[in-house]
Amino acid sequence: MIEELPAMSQRERNRVRTRNDILDVAAQLLGDVGYSGTTLQEISKLAGVARGTVYAYFPAGRDEIVRAVYLRLADEVVQRGNALHAQAEGLEMRIRALARALTEASADPKGRFYGIMGADLVPVLAGVTGTASRSFENFIRDDLVMALHEGLLIPGIAIEALTVALSGALRASGSRAAADPESVEDQINALGALARGLIAA
């Protein structure tokens, strides 16, 4: 029997909403003006809350907010990738599923920064990056191993090297989708063609 969770109070719902509003604004700013333009002043102004309220939710300030924005989006990408991948059949469709999860997230205004992170974000996000990349890389590796066992790939092909190559292409497609949201379907189709080409070989 599944135990029902107690319903949130109005105050708790307001707290969750305010926290999400702060993260939404920060995500949009990161994509629009980068890390340097994502100031606490701008975040509080656009979220419609006082700076003190921002600090109440994120005591460590801007860098804590940026890490929370990144982790939230990475988690969403992984969950969507898992769901789409689970519904897909065959190497090509599974690669396309992962590509869709990443490129669509990167093309969204609140996810744009995820695909075009500048060098100034690297130290801020040290220790928290790579969740989606590792998850997707594992999927790709497993899919390639399965295709190899099914006789769909050239025998003896270096699975690890191929995994790295496809993972790199996937990340590059995410970056392209962030810079040009209209290219999402083209990026997905291109990655699907790469996977199809491996099978054809």
Side-chain angles (χ1 to χ4, degrees), residues 74-189:
D75 186 56
E76 290 170 1
V77 169
V78 169
Q79 286 188 32
R80 180 123 196 272
N82 286 349
L84 293 174
H85 186 267
Q87 296 167 5
E89 291 186 16
L91 180 63
E92 179 187 349
M93 298 312 292
R94 288 179 181 140
I95 296 295
R96 289 173 68 94
L98 299 178
R100 182 167 298 284
L102 180 60
T103 56
E104 288 185 349
S106 298
D108 186 279
K110 291 177 186 170
R112 226 177 125 244
F113 80 97
Y114 193 76
I116 52 171
M117 284 190 290
D120 53 356
L121 273 176
V122 173
V124 177
L125 296 175
V128 299
T129 56
T131 308
S133 292
R134 284 190 297 273
S135 175
F136 283 15
E137 205 167 284
N138 289 335
F139 275 135
I140 292 169
R141 183 182 297 105
D142 291 345
D143 292 338
L144 288 171
V145 168
M146 186 184 303
L148 183 62
H149 287 317
E150 291 172 351
L152 299 175
L153 301 182
I154 300 169
I157 195 165
I159 294 294
E160 197 56 39
L162 197 50
T163 299
V164 170
L166 284 172
S167 297
L170 189 59
R171 283 191 294 273
S173 289
S175 296
R176 180 65 180 164
D180 178 12
E182 297 298 318
S183 73
V184 165
E185 290 302 323
D186 287 342
Q187 299 304 317
I188 294 168
N189 290 336

Side-chain angles (χ1 to χ4, degrees), residues 31-75:
D32 291 346
V33 296
Y35 176 67
S36 62
T38 306
T39 63
L40 288 178
Q41 181 177 347
E42 278 299 296
I43 291 170
S44 62
K45 182 176 83 174
L46 294 175
V49 298
R51 279 184 67 169
T53 302
V54 175
Y55 276 115
Y57 286 87
F58 301 97
R62 177 174 66 165
D63 287 359
E64 184 181 0
I65 294 170
V66 170
R67 284 190 290 272
V69 168
Y70 176 87
L71 289 171
R72 182 180 70 166
L73 186 57
D75 186 56

